[in-house]
């Protein structure tokens, strides 16, 4: 009997996302933890990135004759598109040291991220509605963090899974903000929408990791949690 081909880590993540995010119900806590565990064991080389530079890491990508993207030579914020469908998207943001992605939201989305290498400063907030007169809306920075910004302290890369993905057609677009701290309420801030920053540049690079089989026979790992 012929042995089944071992699935790559990115294939496992795709299969899990396809199982979890294609259902009509919202994901359960156990399902989200399962996805997080799969992202936790994923490394830069699993998505076609050489985090160390060509001197310390093999150049051929796993299961591919393509060369890896050199994570240490990235000079601009770079997005590597891996997969997108109606239910979810997968991709990697690579940052040079000092690169900043401004405060932005993920409207109605589940967001799961994994820092693949390097160091990054993350500022994150959640909405809080105040019940006093006027009912103004504030941001609270300690649970969930679905509104966040990134500043790379060193060259770094972040693997992102979004469900559902951004969609201009469905008016599921990102909004950018400035945060105005409230001196009398430590840890709180007021939110002010702003235009897409003129100095924000994100370039694209091709995905060089193992290919994803979209209609993979998902026979193991999923237990209907």
């Amino acid at each position: 009997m012929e042995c089944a081909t071992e699935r790559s880590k990115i294939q496992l993540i795709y299969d899990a996302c396809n199982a979890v995010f294609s259902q009509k119900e919202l994901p359960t806590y156990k399902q989200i933890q399962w996805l997080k565990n799969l992202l936790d064991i994923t490394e830069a080389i699993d998505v076609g990135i050489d985090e160390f530079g060509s001197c310390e890491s093999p150049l051929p990508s796993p299961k591919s004759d393509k060369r890896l993207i050199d994570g240490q030579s990235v000079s601009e914020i770079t997005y590597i598109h891996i997969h997108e469908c109606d239910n979810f998207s997968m991709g990697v943001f690579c940052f040079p040291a000092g690169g900043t992605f401004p405060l932005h939201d993920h409207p109605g989305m589940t967001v799961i991220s994994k820092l693949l290498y390097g160091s990054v400063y993350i500022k994150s907030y959640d909405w809080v509605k105040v019940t006093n007169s006027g009912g103004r809306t504030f941001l609270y920075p300690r649970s969930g963090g679905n509104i966040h910004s990134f500043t790379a302290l060193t060259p770094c890369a972040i693997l992102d899974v979004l469900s559902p993905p951004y969609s201009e057609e469905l008016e599921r677009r990102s909004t950018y903000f400035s945060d105005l701290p409230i001196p009398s309420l430590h840890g709180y801030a007021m939110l002010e929408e702003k235009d897409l920053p003129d100095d924000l540049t994100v370039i694209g690079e091709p995905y060089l990791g193992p290919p994803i089989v979209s209609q993979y026979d998902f026979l193991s790992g999923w237990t209907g949690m």
Side-chain angles (χ1 to χ4, degrees):
M1 180 181 296
E2 185 179 354
C3 294
T5 304
E6 181 181 357
R7 284 179 287 171
S8 65
K9 291 178 183 177
I10 200 66
Q11 182 72 53
L12 290 172
I13 293 172
Y14 167 84
D15 290 338
C17 288
N18 197 44
V20 170
F21 296 129
S22 62
Q23 60 187 2
K24 294 181 180 180
E25 301 80 11
L26 290 174
T28 66
Y29 174 79
K30 287 185 177 180
Q31 288 170 340
I32 294 300
Q33 286 301 119
W34 179 44
L35 290 172
K36 285 183 176 180
N37 290 340
L38 290 174
L39 265 69
D40 281 346
I41 62 173
T42 303
E43 300 176 340
I45 197 171
D46 297 313
V47 291
I49 301 173
D50 172 10
E51 64 177 285
F52 301 107
S54 58
C55 293
E56 299 183 36
S57 177
L59 287 176
S61 176
K63 302 182 181 180
S64 171
D65 58 0
K66 299 175 182 176
R67 297 169 71 86
L68 301 178
I69 291 173
D70 185 347
Q72 298 299 314
S73 67
V74 170
S75 59
E76 297 181 270
I77 300 175
T78 302
Y79 183 69
I80 301 169
H81 173 77
I82 299 176
H83 173 81
E84 183 172 325
C85 61
D86 290 342
N87 297 321
F88 65 94
S89 65
M90 301 163 54
V92 178
F93 281 97
C94 295
F95 290 81
T100 297
F101 203 97
L103 198 64
H104 63 284
D105 66 352
H106 296 272
M109 298 179 185
T110 297
V111 182
I112 307 174
S113 301
K114 162 67 186 301
L115 180 65
L116 296 173
Y117 64 87
S119 299
V120 62
Y121 171 73
I122 301 174
K123 179 190 288 185
S124 60
Y125 293 103
D126 282 301
W127 290 106
V128 167
K129 288 189 176 181
V130 180
T131 57
N132 62 1
S133 59
R136 290 196 290 172
T137 301
F138 296 93
L139 290 172
Y140 182 64
R142 289 192 178 88
S143 60
N146 216 22
I147 303 170
H148 51 214
S149 65
F150 300 97
T151 300
L153 305 179
T154 67
C156 64
I158 298 171
L159 172 60
D160 262 350
V161 172
L162 308 180
S163 178
Y166 287 114
S167 172
E168 287 290 333
E169 181 181 348
L170 298 176
E171 297 187 353
R172 194 165 54 241
R173 61 180 66 92
S174 185
T175 301
Y176 295 88
F177 303 98
S178 296
D179 55 336
L180 307 173
I182 303 172
S184 59
L185 293 173
H186 179 69
Y188 287 79
M190 293 184 64
L191 185 73
E192 184 176 75
E193 292 188 17
K194 66 177 185 179
D195 294 333
L196 179 69
D198 293 334
D199 59 350
L200 176 62
T201 300
V202 180
I203 63 172
E205 285 289 343
Y207 170 63
L208 302 182
I212 291 176
V213 181
S214 296
Q215 299 298 324
Y216 202 95
D217 292 329
F218 193 75
L219 299 178
S220 64
W222 173 244
T223 59
M225 291 181 290

